[in-house]
Amino acid sequence: MRRKTLRNPMNNPAPKSNKPQTAITPTRADDFPGWYQAVIKAADMAENSSVRGCMVIKPYGFALWENIQKYFDAIIKELDVQNAYFPLLIPMSYLAKEAEHVEGFAKECAVVTHHRLEQGPNGGLIPAESAKLEEPLIIRPTSETIIGESMAKWVQSYRDLPLKLNQWCNVLRWEMRTRLFLRTAEFLWQEGHNAFETYDDAKEDALKMVHAYADFAEQYMAIPVFRGEKTEDERFPGAINTYAMEAMMQDGKALQAATSHNLGQNFAHSSEIKFQGREGKEEFAWTTSWGMSTRTIGGMIMVHGDDDGMIMPPRLAPVQIQIIPVMKDDRDQALLDYCDALKKQLKAKGLRAAVDSSEARTPDKMWGCVKKGVPIRVEIGGREMAEGKLTHVRRDIGKDSKATVSVDEFVNGAEKLLAEIHDALFARAKKFRDEHVFEVKTIKEVAEFFAAEKVGFCKVDTALLQEKEWETVKKEYSLTPRCMPFEFNGAKVLIAKSY
RNA sequence: CGGGGUGUAGCGCAGUCUGGUAGCGCGCGUCGUUCGGGACGACGAGGCCGGAGGUUCGAAUCCUCUCACCCCGACCA
């Protein structure tokens, strides 16, 4: 029965197979994009909404985003960034202020043209002709222009700089093809906008922020990343330099989940962010912008997940330790109390623990835990309770890691165990990534690599991107230069397929 | 916007060619037996067959028109 359900969701005859049974079908090897969708569904993180291109983030997925917000927000506050909030709607003319910026975003903007609805001729509602806006508003695809306007007001003197602002918000980019978390029309992010007195300050800030993101990816998401600069054609519209962190997914494709931009004086000019300098002269500010989105969640799924579902990086996991009471009879209140006491002890240590006291069957609770990627699962039955013990299992290793220890030992070691899981996830991801980066000498070899359907990144001399052949190969295999890692000073570039 | 496809129960699908009044699996509910890594049985609830016209005694099925969504391409965090 079980085999039929899993292998045979389409109701067709099940093929005979020796493959080990997995909670997720298809497996990563069968169909990576299909696997990705199935993991999100199995872990109950998000689903498509009836609004085209927009997703519903379900409580378990949103809890993950809330943790990202919580920890990253603390990091930027340490960097003297202040949170604020700016309008969702931006006058259309603002976008036009920066030439390259318009070109980059104009073709994916949603436009608000009316402010009232009325009864249409065939019933239903239509925008009222009399309520047409003189100047249409766009829904923000990003907020450089509207924040620039405020900055222009707030900055008068060099003493007002640096000014560092951030907002956690939603943005909208009318995307053709969408995928949960990775590319949706509306998505959540933080966008930081800083203004400085000098070019050097701005450049240093843009670099500092990309490292802040990369450190966050490595220390919280357990995702190893390449830190580097984007090539000219991959740059943010209107930026002088764009820096990014690039991660490798398990199918060898690249995912950029956060970027920072050195905007030079481009936006200061268009928004007139001027100040009186130390010598009394009027000067334009130097600005940066930097953002990280819900896309990172897609990255965590594709970097850590396996054929049994999600694997949450411990420091961001909505639930770090799930306690499952294994009950013989209908309901064992003593056992539930015992579990609850354990939960309280773990919470006192600052850990996110939960007890599954639902009426679901024990094996279903366990698989639920597995699919949701809870880092540590604790099982407690009558035997353990009698002996003051518990059994715990690591999600990243599975049942081979099952161990029975005393409650005290577990409580005292839980934080360390979570750290070990984090390190193991990071090491596993880094090993995979390092084994899938290939140094290649010519564009022809790049073409051969992808023609052979090999998986990973090609590292080449940046100069090769000037060759005519590159344009053809790039198109043929839908490749992009991902970034020029800092350690090569622009001399090398990573090429890959990407999300 | 080009090229392909799909709309039937909460989800996944069959039925359409050859019209006859709705079916399967999962899920869901009740009861019983189970219960330390995905249980099983019995009973049960659940559908304007995407929408609008037409043909017909009769349409999920045939015809016309629509609407929506999905996949593949150009753009992107």
Side-chain angles (χ1 to χ4, degrees):
Chain A
M1 200 52 182
R2 189 175 130 198
R3 155 165 254 119
K4 192 178 172 195
T5 313
L6 291 170
R7 295 247 159 260
N8 192 12
M10 303 301 191
N11 226 3
N12 293 324
K16 261 227 166 233
S17 168
N18 300 323
K19 280 193 277 185
Q21 191 158 9
T22 59
I24 301 294
T25 43
T27 61
R28 289 164 294 178
D30 289 342
D31 170 11
F32 197 80
W35 165 84
Y36 175 78
Q37 303 283 350
V39 171
I40 292 174
K41 192 175 174 187
D44 207 27
M45 292 199 282
E47 61 191 29
N48 278 308
S49 78
S50 50
V51 183
R52 190 187 212 284
C54 296
M55 65 177 160
V56 173
I57 304 178
K58 300 185 78 175
Y60 190 63
F62 197 75
L64 181 56
W65 179 241
E66 286 181 305
N67 284 336
I68 292 171
Q69 287 184 299
K70 179 172 133 191
Y71 294 113
F72 192 68
D73 200 62
I75 289 168
I76 61 178
K77 296 249 171 79
E78 283 296 308
L79 298 173
D80 297 321
V81 174
Q82 307 177 87
N83 281 337
Y85 188 78
F86 296 87
L88 167 72
L89 299 173
I90 299 178
M92 199 166 71
S93 59
Y94 283 31
L95 191 69
K97 285 181 185 171
E98 213 291 328
E100 287 182 33
H101 196 61
V102 200
E103 212 180 304
F105 289 108
K107 49 186 176 286
E108 49 186 27
C109 274
V111 187
V112 177
T113 53
H114 293 74
H115 64 80
R116 189 171 64 239
L117 295 169
E118 63 187 17
Q119 198 83 54
N122 307 314
L125 293 168
I126 57 164
E129 208 36 51
S130 60
K132 196 165 176 182
L133 297 176
E134 261 184 43
E135 181 182 358
L137 299 163
I138 61 163
I139 297 177
R140 61 180 164 221
T142 180
S143 304
E144 271 75 6
T145 59
I146 193 117
I147 294 182
E149 183 194 39
S150 289
M151 283 182 152
K153 280 195 236 170
W154 300 346
V155 174
Q156 315 268 324
S157 149
Y158 70 92
R159 293 179 213 276
D160 296 324
L161 296 173
L163 177 60
K164 301 183 180 181
L165 300 170
N166 176 68
Q167 70 174 347
W168 290 93
C169 66
N170 55 345
V171 288
L172 190 80
R173 298 178 187 178
W174 208 267
E175 297 290 349
M176 296 299 181
R177 294 180 51 211
T178 60
R179 301 184 66 189
L180 290 174
F181 291 118
L182 298 174
R183 172 160 296 106
T184 47
E186 181 187 16
F187 60 90
L188 305 182
W189 75 349
Q190 59 68 219
E191 50 177 323
H193 298 267
N194 297 351
F196 299 91
E197 196 181 340
T198 68
Y199 169 86
D200 288 342
D201 289 346
K203 174 154 193 174
E204 186 194 320
D205 184 67
L207 287 167
K208 188 200 289 175
M209 292 323 296
V210 78
H211 286 297
Y213 286 133
D215 291 344
F216 185 76
E218 300 192 341
Q219 291 164 17
Y220 287 83
M221 301 181 197
I223 297 178
V225 293
F226 289 106
R227 306 159 189 232
E229 178 166 2
K230 288 282 182 185
T231 54
E232 189 181 345
D233 51 327
E234 297 289 315
R235 226 177 256 158
F236 178 76
I240 305 184
N241 307 290
T242 287
Y243 305 112
M245 59 174 198
E246 290 287 335
M248 187 191 291
M249 306 296 106
Q250 291 181 66
D251 62 351
K253 287 168 83 171
L255 182 80
Q256 169 200 326
T259 48
S260 74
H261 315 291
N262 175 5
L263 303 174
Q265 289 178 309
N266 291 344
F267 285 87
H269 278 128
S270 55
S271 296
E272 302 203 295
I273 308 174
K274 294 181 289 193
F275 63 94
Q276 199 166 11
R278 290 165 200 270
E279 315 297 323
K281 281 188 304 187
E282 187 176 81
E283 296 174 29
F284 284 98
W286 299 84
T287 64
T288 65
S289 68
W290 34 282
M292 176 170 67
S293 73
T294 36
R295 191 178 221 207
T296 51
I297 294 176
M300 286 184 256
I301 296 167
M302 291 193 290
V303 169
H304 299 309
D306 67 13
D307 293 338
D308 286 327
M310 183 57 183
I311 297 181
M312 288 282 179
R315 295 194 181 115
L316 295 175
V319 176
Q320 295 171 309
I321 300 165
Q322 177 85 272
I323 303 161
I324 298 178
V326 180
M327 290 182 277
K328 280 281 184 207
D329 304 316
D330 287 348
R331 214 169 159 78
D332 184 337
Q333 194 55 49
L335 182 56
L336 287 171
D337 291 345
Y338 184 83
C339 291
D340 221 52
L342 171 61
K343 181 179 93 176
K344 288 204 175 89
Q345 285 188 68
L346 292 167
K347 286 205 154 179
K349 296 241 170 202
L351 302 174
R352 295 185 288 275
V355 178
D356 187 347
S357 56
S358 74
E359 292 182 10
R361 295 165 29 80
T362 302
D364 292 342
K365 289 182 183 181
M366 291 178 182
W367 281 104
C369 243
V370 170
K371 287 187 287 195
K372 288 183 161 232
V374 178
I376 300 173
R377 184 175 79 243
V378 168
E379 301 166 16
I380 306 177
R383 280 203 300 279
E384 278 107 344
M385 179 167 62
E387 296 167 7
K389 291 185 173 174
L390 56 74
T391 297
H392 66 268
V393 192
R394 281 171 61 160
R395 172 60 179 91
D396 62 319
I397 295 176
K399 61 180 172 184
D400 292 344
S401 64
K402 220 175 226 198
T404 300
V405 299
S406 75
V407 169
D408 286 347
E409 189 183 339
F410 178 75
V411 170
N412 291 326
E415 196 166 358
K416 188 161 164 259
L417 183 56
L418 287 166
E420 281 170 23
I421 294 170
H422 172 93
D423 292 344
L425 289 177
F426 182 82
R428 180 156 82 184
K430 186 158 190 306
K431 180 166 185 284
F432 178 88
R433 186 194 75 171
D434 292 347
E435 286 170 356
H436 290 84
V437 176
F438 301 91
E439 195 114 20
V440 157
K441 295 271 178 264
T442 62
I443 293 297
K444 188 158 172 275
E445 286 177 64
V446 172
E448 284 165 3
F449 178 89
F450 289 102
E453 293 188 359
K454 286 190 186 163
V455 156
F457 294 1
C458 284
K459 186 158 83 184
V460 303
D461 285 341
T462 307
L464 293 184
L465 299 186
Q466 301 308 317
E467 293 181 10
K468 278 190 208 118
E469 207 187 350
W470 163 239
E471 284 306 317
T472 326
V473 169
K474 174 182 167 159
K475 238 185 159 168
E476 165 132 28
Y477 300 102
S478 52
L479 306 174
T480 42
R482 301 313 304 164
C483 73
M484 300 177 286
F486 290 133
E487 60 265 40
F488 303 109
N489 251 321
K492 295 274 184 187
V493 64
L494 294 165
I495 292 174
K497 298 189 185 213
S498 72
Y499 282 97

